[in-house]
Amino acid sequence: MPLKVWMNGKLYDRAEAKISVYDHGLLYGDGVFEGIRVYDGKIFRGEQHIDRLFNSAKAIALQIPLGREELMEAFLETLQVNKLKDAYIRVVVTRGVGTLGLDANKCHEPQVIIITDSIALYPQDYYEKGLELVTVSTVRTPHNVLSPKIKSLNYLNNILAKIEAQQAGVIEAIMLNKDGFVAECTGDNIFAVAKGRLVTPPPDAGILEGITRQVVMELAEKDGITVLEQQLTRFDFYVAQECFLTGTAAEIIPVVRIDSRQIGEGVPGPTTLRLLEMFREETRSNP
Ligand code: PMP
């Protein structure tokens, strides 16, 4: 049975779930989205994802034509018809159909789309051996250009950074902010373990405030690990004992090489592995 996609209150077969070529989501990347995990039928940190979606929409002056609870019900309905228990939810809200001009006021019906699918992870090998990263020249969009806190449909900044990484023969990139401090990776937040403490760039560094990042900070604190949000440079990562990335799809993925420098022992470190274990417990027992 083909997967069903929820669109504006109705369910469509995947091949029939279509939007207009005049939708400003397509024409201008004008819209917002979220990626959410479902573990054993339970939506992980669903409220936080919905909050971030509504905040992203508010920031681009887009009115989501649905309440928070209705949206949560629509997620559950879509998961249920597709009989998915361990899944990924992609919710997209576009500005809707407009003219060929930029005028958002001419778009009267925002489109709400919910896709549920099985989850595509990084290959298992990367979790065991760790990732290699390179720093790229594409600068993370500054707050005064387009806030990285908005999870918008315009991901070209991140895509161009990823293309640069791929050209260098690796799959993920470190993006710096306009002041040269480390911001984040193209679709994940970044952490280092230095002097036994967990450090990560602060929201002011120009990052998407990841929900997995938040979960990992909470787990570390629960385990007695000091967590610091501070401005970090590439140097701080080169000399760190450990490094890892966090994201909804990736969960926690170890990093063992950055810009040709080995990080720590060159294998996933004990703090990373401990947090990964705690994260797995948390996601499997989440109410
Ligand atoms: N940064 C960026 C740019 C992202 O797109 C994402 C989400 N894939 C993250 C960080 C991680 O956020 P979360 O943990 O909420 O998935």
PDB file of all heavy atoms in Angstrom, residues 39 124 126-128 212 216 219-220 223 225 242 244-247 249-254 268-284:
ATOM      1  N   TYR A  39       9.501   7.345  17.896  1.00  0.00           N
ATOM      2  CA  TYR A  39      10.099   6.121  18.406  1.00  0.00           C
ATOM      3  C   TYR A  39       8.991   5.272  19.008  1.00  0.00           C
ATOM      4  O   TYR A  39       8.296   5.735  19.918  1.00  0.00           O
ATOM      5  CB  TYR A  39      11.129   6.443  19.503  1.00  0.00           C
ATOM      6  CG  TYR A  39      12.337   7.240  19.030  1.00  0.00           C
ATOM      7  CD1 TYR A  39      12.393   8.621  19.187  1.00  0.00           C
ATOM      8  CD2 TYR A  39      13.422   6.597  18.449  1.00  0.00           C
ATOM      9  CE1 TYR A  39      13.507   9.352  18.773  1.00  0.00           C
ATOM     10  CE2 TYR A  39      14.545   7.318  18.028  1.00  0.00           C
ATOM     11  CZ  TYR A  39      14.572   8.682  18.205  1.00  0.00           C
ATOM     12  OH  TYR A  39      15.672   9.398  17.796  1.00  0.00           O
ATOM     13  N   GLN A 124      25.546   2.897   9.410  1.00  0.00           N
ATOM     14  CA  GLN A 124      25.981   2.460  10.740  1.00  0.00           C
ATOM     15  C   GLN A 124      27.492   2.629  10.951  1.00  0.00           C
ATOM     16  O   GLN A 124      27.958   2.952  12.041  1.00  0.00           O
ATOM     17  CB  GLN A 124      25.546   0.999  10.941  1.00  0.00           C
ATOM     18  CG  GLN A 124      25.830   0.392  12.311  1.00  0.00           C
ATOM     19  CD  GLN A 124      25.194   1.172  13.469  1.00  0.00           C
ATOM     20  OE1 GLN A 124      24.196   1.849  13.303  1.00  0.00           O
ATOM     21  NE2 GLN A 124      25.825   1.095  14.630  1.00  0.00           N
ATOM     22  N   TYR A 126      29.449   4.936  10.212  1.00  0.00           N
ATOM     23  CA  TYR A 126      29.840   6.261  10.719  1.00  0.00           C
ATOM     24  C   TYR A 126      29.668   6.360  12.234  1.00  0.00           C
ATOM     25  O   TYR A 126      30.402   7.086  12.898  1.00  0.00           O
ATOM     26  CB  TYR A 126      29.024   7.367  10.051  1.00  0.00           C
ATOM     27  CG  TYR A 126      29.384   7.582   8.595  1.00  0.00           C
ATOM     28  CD1 TYR A 126      28.443   7.411   7.592  1.00  0.00           C
ATOM     29  CD2 TYR A 126      30.667   7.983   8.232  1.00  0.00           C
ATOM     30  CE1 TYR A 126      28.766   7.619   6.254  1.00  0.00           C
ATOM     31  CE2 TYR A 126      31.002   8.196   6.894  1.00  0.00           C
ATOM     32  CZ  TYR A 126      30.050   8.006   5.920  1.00  0.00           C
ATOM     33  OH  TYR A 126      30.374   8.223   4.619  1.00  0.00           O
ATOM     34  N   TYR A 127      28.673   5.634  12.766  1.00  0.00           N
ATOM     35  CA  TYR A 127      28.455   5.664  14.222  1.00  0.00           C
ATOM     36  C   TYR A 127      29.571   4.905  14.936  1.00  0.00           C
ATOM     37  O   TYR A 127      29.945   5.230  16.054  1.00  0.00           O
ATOM     38  CB  TYR A 127      27.081   5.076  14.584  1.00  0.00           C
ATOM     39  CG  TYR A 127      25.967   5.986  14.140  1.00  0.00           C
ATOM     40  CD1 TYR A 127      25.453   5.909  12.851  1.00  0.00           C
ATOM     41  CD2 TYR A 127      25.478   6.982  14.988  1.00  0.00           C
ATOM     42  CE1 TYR A 127      24.467   6.775  12.413  1.00  0.00           C
ATOM     43  CE2 TYR A 127      24.486   7.849  14.569  1.00  0.00           C
ATOM     44  CZ  TYR A 127      23.988   7.746  13.278  1.00  0.00           C
ATOM     45  OH  TYR A 127      23.019   8.625  12.852  1.00  0.00           O
ATOM     46  N   GLU A 128      30.097   3.884  14.238  1.00  0.00           N
ATOM     47  CA  GLU A 128      31.155   3.074  14.859  1.00  0.00           C
ATOM     48  C   GLU A 128      32.528   3.712  14.673  1.00  0.00           C
ATOM     49  O   GLU A 128      33.344   3.727  15.588  1.00  0.00           O
ATOM     50  CB  GLU A 128      31.133   1.661  14.268  1.00  0.00           C
ATOM     51  CG  GLU A 128      29.965   0.855  14.854  1.00  0.00           C
ATOM     52  CD  GLU A 128      29.486  -0.268  13.959  1.00  0.00           C
ATOM     53  OE1 GLU A 128      30.245  -0.685  13.064  1.00  0.00           O
ATOM     54  OE2 GLU A 128      28.340  -0.709  14.155  1.00  0.00           O
ATOM     55  N   THR A 212      17.596  18.215  19.540  1.00  0.00           N
ATOM     56  CA  THR A 212      18.508  17.149  19.986  1.00  0.00           C
ATOM     57  C   THR A 212      19.641  17.762  20.815  1.00  0.00           C
ATOM     58  O   THR A 212      20.071  17.182  21.817  1.00  0.00           O
ATOM     59  CB  THR A 212      19.088  16.400  18.770  1.00  0.00           C
ATOM     60  OG1 THR A 212      18.065  16.258  17.788  1.00  0.00           O
ATOM     61  CG2 THR A 212      19.628  15.035  19.164  1.00  0.00           C
ATOM     62  N   VAL A 216      20.578  16.611  24.549  1.00  0.00           N
ATOM     63  CA  VAL A 216      21.935  16.170  24.910  1.00  0.00           C
ATOM     64  C   VAL A 216      22.490  17.013  26.065  1.00  0.00           C
ATOM     65  O   VAL A 216      23.123  16.483  26.985  1.00  0.00           O
ATOM     66  CB  VAL A 216      22.851  16.213  23.656  1.00  0.00           C
ATOM     67  CG1 VAL A 216      24.323  16.120  24.026  1.00  0.00           C
ATOM     68  CG2 VAL A 216      22.475  15.084  22.705  1.00  0.00           C
ATOM     69  N   LEU A 219      20.833  15.681  29.170  1.00  0.00           N
ATOM     70  CA  LEU A 219      21.356  14.358  29.554  1.00  0.00           C
ATOM     71  C   LEU A 219      22.741  14.487  30.181  1.00  0.00           C
ATOM     72  O   LEU A 219      23.046  13.829  31.176  1.00  0.00           O
ATOM     73  CB  LEU A 219      21.419  13.425  28.335  1.00  0.00           C
ATOM     74  CG  LEU A 219      20.081  12.980  27.752  1.00  0.00           C
ATOM     75  CD1 LEU A 219      20.293  12.167  26.489  1.00  0.00           C
ATOM     76  CD2 LEU A 219      19.269  12.178  28.772  1.00  0.00           C
ATOM     77  N   ALA A 220      23.568  15.350  29.601  1.00  0.00           N
ATOM     78  CA  ALA A 220      24.933  15.527  30.122  1.00  0.00           C
ATOM     79  C   ALA A 220      24.869  16.054  31.553  1.00  0.00           C
ATOM     80  O   ALA A 220      25.567  15.553  32.451  1.00  0.00           O
ATOM     81  CB  ALA A 220      25.707  16.485  29.225  1.00  0.00           C
ATOM     82  N   ASP A 223      24.034  13.572  34.015  1.00  0.00           N
ATOM     83  CA  ASP A 223      25.139  12.635  34.252  1.00  0.00           C
ATOM     84  C   ASP A 223      26.314  13.317  34.971  1.00  0.00           C
ATOM     85  O   ASP A 223      27.390  12.731  35.096  1.00  0.00           O
ATOM     86  CB  ASP A 223      25.608  12.081  32.895  1.00  0.00           C
ATOM     87  CG  ASP A 223      26.138  10.663  33.015  1.00  0.00           C
ATOM     88  OD1 ASP A 223      25.562   9.885  33.791  1.00  0.00           O
ATOM     89  OD2 ASP A 223      27.131  10.340  32.331  1.00  0.00           O
ATOM     90  N   ILE A 225      27.977  15.989  33.952  1.00  0.00           N
ATOM     91  CA  ILE A 225      28.967  16.603  33.045  1.00  0.00           C
ATOM     92  C   ILE A 225      28.651  18.102  32.933  1.00  0.00           C
ATOM     93  O   ILE A 225      27.494  18.481  32.707  1.00  0.00           O
ATOM     94  CB  ILE A 225      28.910  15.954  31.636  1.00  0.00           C
ATOM     95  CG1 ILE A 225      29.136  14.439  31.724  1.00  0.00           C
ATOM     96  CG2 ILE A 225      29.885  16.610  30.680  1.00  0.00           C
ATOM     97  CD1 ILE A 225      28.788  13.678  30.439  1.00  0.00           C
ATOM     98  N   GLU A 242      37.154  15.099  22.208  1.00  0.00           N
ATOM     99  CA  GLU A 242      36.096  14.418  21.456  1.00  0.00           C
ATOM    100  C   GLU A 242      35.264  15.466  20.717  1.00  0.00           C
ATOM    101  O   GLU A 242      35.238  16.643  21.103  1.00  0.00           O
ATOM    102  CB  GLU A 242      35.148  13.654  22.405  1.00  0.00           C
ATOM    103  CG  GLU A 242      35.798  12.545  23.192  1.00  0.00           C
ATOM    104  CD  GLU A 242      34.805  11.839  24.128  1.00  0.00           C
ATOM    105  OE1 GLU A 242      33.624  11.677  23.753  1.00  0.00           O
ATOM    106  OE2 GLU A 242      35.234  11.471  25.236  1.00  0.00           O
ATOM    107  N   PHE A 244      31.287  15.582  18.494  1.00  0.00           N
ATOM    108  CA  PHE A 244      30.146  14.866  17.903  1.00  0.00           C
ATOM    109  C   PHE A 244      29.101  15.862  17.424  1.00  0.00           C
ATOM    110  O   PHE A 244      29.135  17.042  17.787  1.00  0.00           O
ATOM    111  CB  PHE A 244      29.541  13.852  18.900  1.00  0.00           C
ATOM    112  CG  PHE A 244      28.979  14.448  20.166  1.00  0.00           C
ATOM    113  CD1 PHE A 244      27.690  14.967  20.215  1.00  0.00           C
ATOM    114  CD2 PHE A 244      29.754  14.477  21.334  1.00  0.00           C
ATOM    115  CE1 PHE A 244      27.179  15.502  21.392  1.00  0.00           C
ATOM    116  CE2 PHE A 244      29.244  15.018  22.513  1.00  0.00           C
ATOM    117  CZ  PHE A 244      27.951  15.532  22.539  1.00  0.00           C
ATOM    118  N   LEU A 245      28.192  15.360  16.593  1.00  0.00           N
ATOM    119  CA  LEU A 245      27.108  16.186  16.058  1.00  0.00           C
ATOM    120  C   LEU A 245      25.772  15.672  16.580  1.00  0.00           C
ATOM    121  O   LEU A 245      25.650  14.484  16.901  1.00  0.00           O
ATOM    122  CB  LEU A 245      27.079  16.111  14.521  1.00  0.00           C
ATOM    123  CG  LEU A 245      28.402  16.306  13.779  1.00  0.00           C
ATOM    124  CD1 LEU A 245      28.149  16.281  12.270  1.00  0.00           C
ATOM    125  CD2 LEU A 245      29.054  17.615  14.192  1.00  0.00           C
ATOM    126  N   THR A 246      24.791  16.561  16.639  1.00  0.00           N
ATOM    127  CA  THR A 246      23.452  16.151  17.074  1.00  0.00           C
ATOM    128  C   THR A 246      22.394  16.655  16.097  1.00  0.00           C
ATOM    129  O   THR A 246      22.505  17.762  15.563  1.00  0.00           O
ATOM    130  CB  THR A 246      23.099  16.719  18.473  1.00  0.00           C
ATOM    131  OG1 THR A 246      23.072  18.152  18.398  1.00  0.00           O
ATOM    132  CG2 THR A 246      24.076  16.276  19.534  1.00  0.00           C
ATOM    133  N   GLY A 247      21.382  15.835  15.884  1.00  0.00           N
ATOM    134  CA  GLY A 247      20.262  16.243  15.032  1.00  0.00           C
ATOM    135  C   GLY A 247      19.171  15.200  15.107  1.00  0.00           C
ATOM    136  O   GLY A 247      19.416  14.068  15.527  1.00  0.00           O
ATOM    137  N   ALA A 249      17.588  13.496  12.810  1.00  0.00           N
ATOM    138  CA  ALA A 249      17.803  12.285  12.013  1.00  0.00           C
ATOM    139  C   ALA A 249      19.064  11.555  12.479  1.00  0.00           C
ATOM    140  O   ALA A 249      19.062  10.347  12.642  1.00  0.00           O
ATOM    141  CB  ALA A 249      17.897  12.636  10.543  1.00  0.00           C
ATOM    142  N   ALA A 250      20.140  12.303  12.710  1.00  0.00           N
ATOM    143  CA  ALA A 250      21.432  11.688  13.048  1.00  0.00           C
ATOM    144  C   ALA A 250      21.490  11.201  14.494  1.00  0.00           C
ATOM    145  O   ALA A 250      22.317  10.362  14.821  1.00  0.00           O
ATOM    146  CB  ALA A 250      22.550  12.702  12.805  1.00  0.00           C
ATOM    147  N   GLU A 251      20.674  11.746  15.358  1.00  0.00           N
ATOM    148  CA  GLU A 251      20.753  11.546  16.823  1.00  0.00           C
ATOM    149  C   GLU A 251      22.112  12.089  17.295  1.00  0.00           C
ATOM    150  O   GLU A 251      22.304  13.289  17.285  1.00  0.00           O
ATOM    151  CB  GLU A 251      20.530  10.078  17.209  1.00  0.00           C
ATOM    152  CG  GLU A 251      19.165   9.569  16.790  1.00  0.00           C
ATOM    153  CD  GLU A 251      18.895   8.144  17.237  1.00  0.00           C
ATOM    154  OE1 GLU A 251      19.822   7.316  17.244  1.00  0.00           O
ATOM    155  OE2 GLU A 251      17.734   7.846  17.566  1.00  0.00           O
ATOM    156  N   ILE A 252      23.036  11.204  17.694  1.00  0.00           N
ATOM    157  CA  ILE A 252      24.372  11.672  18.103  1.00  0.00           C
ATOM    158  C   ILE A 252      25.370  10.914  17.240  1.00  0.00           C
ATOM    159  O   ILE A 252      25.381   9.681  17.245  1.00  0.00           O
ATOM    160  CB  ILE A 252      24.638  11.358  19.590  1.00  0.00           C
ATOM    161  CG1 ILE A 252      23.630  12.098  20.482  1.00  0.00           C
ATOM    162  CG2 ILE A 252      26.077  11.702  19.966  1.00  0.00           C
ATOM    163  CD1 ILE A 252      23.743  11.742  21.959  1.00  0.00           C
ATOM    164  N   ILE A 253      26.189  11.640  16.503  1.00  0.00           N
ATOM    165  CA  ILE A 253      27.146  10.949  15.625  1.00  0.00           C
ATOM    166  C   ILE A 253      28.578  11.442  15.922  1.00  0.00           C
ATOM    167  O   ILE A 253      28.834  12.644  15.954  1.00  0.00           O
ATOM    168  CB  ILE A 253      26.725  11.089  14.136  1.00  0.00           C
ATOM    169  CG1 ILE A 253      27.642  10.240  13.260  1.00  0.00           C
ATOM    170  CG2 ILE A 253      26.691  12.513  13.653  1.00  0.00           C
ATOM    171  CD1 ILE A 253      26.986   9.749  11.997  1.00  0.00           C
ATOM    172  N   PRO A 254      29.494  10.515  16.192  1.00  0.00           N
ATOM    173  CA  PRO A 254      30.859  10.917  16.550  1.00  0.00           C
ATOM    174  C   PRO A 254      31.626  11.506  15.362  1.00  0.00           C
ATOM    175  O   PRO A 254      31.386  11.134  14.216  1.00  0.00           O
ATOM    176  CB  PRO A 254      31.527   9.595  16.976  1.00  0.00           C
ATOM    177  CG  PRO A 254      30.448   8.574  17.056  1.00  0.00           C
ATOM    178  CD  PRO A 254      29.318   9.054  16.211  1.00  0.00           C
ATOM    179  N   PRO A 268      35.512   7.164  18.286  1.00  0.00           N
ATOM    180  CA  PRO A 268      34.466   7.766  19.124  1.00  0.00           C
ATOM    181  C   PRO A 268      34.847   7.689  20.604  1.00  0.00           C
ATOM    182  O   PRO A 268      35.245   6.630  21.090  1.00  0.00           O
ATOM    183  CB  PRO A 268      33.232   6.901  18.806  1.00  0.00           C
ATOM    184  CG  PRO A 268      33.480   6.395  17.414  1.00  0.00           C
ATOM    185  CD  PRO A 268      34.967   6.163  17.345  1.00  0.00           C
ATOM    186  N   GLY A 269      34.772   8.813  21.303  1.00  0.00           N
ATOM    187  CA  GLY A 269      35.267   8.891  22.684  1.00  0.00           C
ATOM    188  C   GLY A 269      34.256   8.428  23.716  1.00  0.00           C
ATOM    189  O   GLY A 269      33.069   8.254  23.404  1.00  0.00           O
ATOM    190  N   PRO A 270      34.703   8.241  24.967  1.00  0.00           N
ATOM    191  CA  PRO A 270      33.825   7.707  26.010  1.00  0.00           C
ATOM    192  C   PRO A 270      32.625   8.604  26.340  1.00  0.00           C
ATOM    193  O   PRO A 270      31.523   8.097  26.580  1.00  0.00           O
ATOM    194  CB  PRO A 270      34.746   7.555  27.228  1.00  0.00           C
ATOM    195  CG  PRO A 270      35.963   8.362  26.929  1.00  0.00           C
ATOM    196  CD  PRO A 270      36.082   8.437  25.429  1.00  0.00           C
ATOM    197  N   THR A 271      32.819   9.915  26.343  1.00  0.00           N
ATOM    198  CA  THR A 271      31.681  10.804  26.661  1.00  0.00           C
ATOM    199  C   THR A 271      30.630  10.725  25.549  1.00  0.00           C
ATOM    200  O   THR A 271      29.428  10.663  25.820  1.00  0.00           O
ATOM    201  CB  THR A 271      32.168  12.261  26.866  1.00  0.00           C
ATOM    202  OG1 THR A 271      33.213  12.245  27.830  1.00  0.00           O
ATOM    203  CG2 THR A 271      31.059  13.170  27.317  1.00  0.00           C
ATOM    204  N   THR A 272      31.101  10.715  24.310  1.00  0.00           N
ATOM    205  CA  THR A 272      30.178  10.606  23.171  1.00  0.00           C
ATOM    206  C   THR A 272      29.381   9.310  23.274  1.00  0.00           C
ATOM    207  O   THR A 272      28.150   9.312  23.120  1.00  0.00           O
ATOM    208  CB  THR A 272      30.976  10.602  21.840  1.00  0.00           C
ATOM    209  OG1 THR A 272      31.836  11.750  21.828  1.00  0.00           O
ATOM    210  CG2 THR A 272      30.064  10.615  20.629  1.00  0.00           C
ATOM    211  N   LEU A 273      30.081   8.215  23.559  1.00  0.00           N
ATOM    212  CA  LEU A 273      29.406   6.914  23.620  1.00  0.00           C
ATOM    213  C   LEU A 273      28.429   6.846  24.791  1.00  0.00           C
ATOM    214  O   LEU A 273      27.335   6.304  24.665  1.00  0.00           O
ATOM    215  CB  LEU A 273      30.436   5.780  23.682  1.00  0.00           C
ATOM    216  CG  LEU A 273      31.297   5.646  22.413  1.00  0.00           C
ATOM    217  CD1 LEU A 273      32.365   4.574  22.588  1.00  0.00           C
ATOM    218  CD2 LEU A 273      30.444   5.348  21.172  1.00  0.00           C
ATOM    219  N   ARG A 274      28.823   7.453  25.910  1.00  0.00           N
ATOM    220  CA  ARG A 274      27.940   7.492  27.083  1.00  0.00           C
ATOM    221  C   ARG A 274      26.663   8.281  26.756  1.00  0.00           C
ATOM    222  O   ARG A 274      25.550   7.868  27.078  1.00  0.00           O
ATOM    223  CB  ARG A 274      28.699   8.122  28.263  1.00  0.00           C
ATOM    224  CG  ARG A 274      27.860   8.459  29.464  1.00  0.00           C
ATOM    225  CD  ARG A 274      27.485   7.228  30.265  1.00  0.00           C
ATOM    226  NE  ARG A 274      26.547   7.568  31.329  1.00  0.00           N
ATOM    227  CZ  ARG A 274      25.407   6.920  31.526  1.00  0.00           C
ATOM    228  NH1 ARG A 274      25.054   5.899  30.772  1.00  0.00           N
ATOM    229  NH2 ARG A 274      24.609   7.274  32.516  1.00  0.00           N
ATOM    230  N   LEU A 275      26.832   9.435  26.113  1.00  0.00           N
ATOM    231  CA  LEU A 275      25.661  10.259  25.773  1.00  0.00           C
ATOM    232  C   LEU A 275      24.771   9.557  24.750  1.00  0.00           C
ATOM    233  O   LEU A 275      23.550   9.639  24.828  1.00  0.00           O
ATOM    234  CB  LEU A 275      26.106  11.638  25.273  1.00  0.00           C
ATOM    235  CG  LEU A 275      26.678  12.541  26.372  1.00  0.00           C
ATOM    236  CD1 LEU A 275      27.376  13.755  25.762  1.00  0.00           C
ATOM    237  CD2 LEU A 275      25.584  13.003  27.344  1.00  0.00           C
ATOM    238  N   LEU A 276      25.395   8.852  23.831  1.00  0.00           N
ATOM    239  CA  LEU A 276      24.624   8.107  22.833  1.00  0.00           C
ATOM    240  C   LEU A 276      23.791   7.026  23.523  1.00  0.00           C
ATOM    241  O   LEU A 276      22.603   6.843  23.209  1.00  0.00           O
ATOM    242  CB  LEU A 276      25.576   7.489  21.795  1.00  0.00           C
ATOM    243  CG  LEU A 276      24.953   6.783  20.593  1.00  0.00           C
ATOM    244  CD1 LEU A 276      23.930   7.653  19.882  1.00  0.00           C
ATOM    245  CD2 LEU A 276      26.040   6.371  19.601  1.00  0.00           C
ATOM    246  N   GLU A 277      24.406   6.359  24.501  1.00  0.00           N
ATOM    247  CA  GLU A 277      23.684   5.321  25.250  1.00  0.00           C
ATOM    248  C   GLU A 277      22.501   5.941  26.013  1.00  0.00           C
ATOM    249  O   GLU A 277      21.379   5.437  25.976  1.00  0.00           O
ATOM    250  CB  GLU A 277      24.673   4.682  26.234  1.00  0.00           C
ATOM    251  CG  GLU A 277      24.132   3.566  27.087  1.00  0.00           C
ATOM    252  CD  GLU A 277      25.154   3.181  28.164  1.00  0.00           C
ATOM    253  OE1 GLU A 277      26.330   2.941  27.840  1.00  0.00           O
ATOM    254  OE2 GLU A 277      24.773   3.159  29.337  1.00  0.00           O
ATOM    255  N   MET A 278      22.764   7.088  26.685  1.00  0.00           N
ATOM    256  CA  MET A 278      21.689   7.765  27.425  1.00  0.00           C
ATOM    257  C   MET A 278      20.585   8.237  26.479  1.00  0.00           C
ATOM    258  O   MET A 278      19.401   8.180  26.795  1.00  0.00           O
ATOM    259  CB  MET A 278      22.236   8.968  28.194  1.00  0.00           C
ATOM    260  CG  MET A 278      23.106   8.614  29.372  1.00  0.00           C
ATOM    261  SD  MET A 278      23.669  10.112  30.220  1.00  0.00           S
ATOM    262  CE  MET A 278      22.280  10.500  31.263  1.00  0.00           C
ATOM    263  N   PHE A 279      21.015   8.720  25.310  1.00  0.00           N
ATOM    264  CA  PHE A 279      20.040   9.213  24.333  1.00  0.00           C
ATOM    265  C   PHE A 279      19.133   8.079  23.873  1.00  0.00           C
ATOM    266  O   PHE A 279      17.921   8.238  23.743  1.00  0.00           O
ATOM    267  CB  PHE A 279      20.752   9.848  23.138  1.00  0.00           C
ATOM    268  CG  PHE A 279      19.813  10.522  22.180  1.00  0.00           C
ATOM    269  CD1 PHE A 279      19.389  11.824  22.404  1.00  0.00           C
ATOM    270  CD2 PHE A 279      19.314   9.845  21.074  1.00  0.00           C
ATOM    271  CE1 PHE A 279      18.499  12.444  21.548  1.00  0.00           C
ATOM    272  CE2 PHE A 279      18.426  10.456  20.208  1.00  0.00           C
ATOM    273  CZ  PHE A 279      18.021  11.760  20.442  1.00  0.00           C
ATOM    274  N   ARG A 280      19.734   6.920  23.638  1.00  0.00           N
ATOM    275  CA  ARG A 280      18.934   5.757  23.186  1.00  0.00           C
ATOM    276  C   ARG A 280      17.946   5.355  24.278  1.00  0.00           C
ATOM    277  O   ARG A 280      16.795   5.036  23.982  1.00  0.00           O
ATOM    278  CB  ARG A 280      19.861   4.599  22.799  1.00  0.00           C
ATOM    279  CG  ARG A 280      20.755   4.979  21.609  1.00  0.00           C
ATOM    280  CD  ARG A 280      20.574   4.067  20.407  1.00  0.00           C
ATOM    281  NE  ARG A 280      20.916   4.743  19.160  1.00  0.00           N
ATOM    282  CZ  ARG A 280      22.004   4.512  18.449  1.00  0.00           C
ATOM    283  NH1 ARG A 280      22.872   3.599  18.844  1.00  0.00           N
ATOM    284  NH2 ARG A 280      22.229   5.163  17.321  1.00  0.00           N
ATOM    285  N   GLU A 281      18.387   5.390  25.541  1.00  0.00           N
ATOM    286  CA  GLU A 281      17.473   5.066  26.657  1.00  0.00           C
ATOM    287  C   GLU A 281      16.330   6.073  26.700  1.00  0.00           C
ATOM    288  O   GLU A 281      15.166   5.709  26.849  1.00  0.00           O
ATOM    289  CB  GLU A 281      18.214   5.130  28.004  1.00  0.00           C
ATOM    290  CG  GLU A 281      18.925   3.847  28.391  1.00  0.00           C
ATOM    291  CD  GLU A 281      19.859   4.058  29.570  1.00  0.00           C
ATOM    292  OE1 GLU A 281      19.594   4.955  30.405  1.00  0.00           O
ATOM    293  OE2 GLU A 281      20.868   3.342  29.636  1.00  0.00           O
ATOM    294  N   GLU A 282      16.668   7.334  26.553  1.00  0.00           N
ATOM    295  CA  GLU A 282      15.678   8.418  26.616  1.00  0.00           C
ATOM    296  C   GLU A 282      14.624   8.275  25.508  1.00  0.00           C
ATOM    297  O   GLU A 282      13.435   8.410  25.749  1.00  0.00           O
ATOM    298  CB  GLU A 282      16.418   9.759  26.475  1.00  0.00           C
ATOM    299  CG  GLU A 282      15.544  10.988  26.403  1.00  0.00           C
ATOM    300  CD  GLU A 282      15.035  11.463  27.756  1.00  0.00           C
ATOM    301  OE1 GLU A 282      15.466  10.917  28.781  1.00  0.00           O
ATOM    302  OE2 GLU A 282      14.193  12.366  27.758  1.00  0.00           O
ATOM    303  N   THR A 283      15.090   7.975  24.303  1.00  0.00           N
ATOM    304  CA  THR A 283      14.143   7.909  23.179  1.00  0.00           C
ATOM    305  C   THR A 283      13.288   6.643  23.259  1.00  0.00           C
ATOM    306  O   THR A 283      12.162   6.640  22.798  1.00  0.00           O
ATOM    307  CB  THR A 283      14.873   7.957  21.829  1.00  0.00           C
ATOM    308  OG1 THR A 283      15.943   7.011  21.835  1.00  0.00           O
ATOM    309  CG2 THR A 283      15.417   9.334  21.563  1.00  0.00           C
ATOM    310  N   ARG A 284      13.842   5.600  23.866  1.00  0.00           N
ATOM    311  CA  ARG A 284      13.063   4.357  23.969  1.00  0.00           C
ATOM    312  C   ARG A 284      12.082   4.384  25.137  1.00  0.00           C
ATOM    313  O   ARG A 284      11.155   3.613  25.187  1.00  0.00           O
ATOM    314  CB  ARG A 284      13.986   3.134  24.076  1.00  0.00           C
ATOM    315  CG  ARG A 284      14.389   2.555  22.724  1.00  0.00           C
ATOM    316  CD  ARG A 284      15.201   3.533  21.933  1.00  0.00           C
ATOM    317  NE  ARG A 284      15.729   3.044  20.664  1.00  0.00           N
ATOM    318  CZ  ARG A 284      16.369   3.820  19.802  1.00  0.00           C
ATOM    319  NH1 ARG A 284      16.509   5.120  20.030  1.00  0.00           N
ATOM    320  NH2 ARG A 284      16.849   3.337  18.685  1.00  0.00           N
TER     321      ARG A 284
END
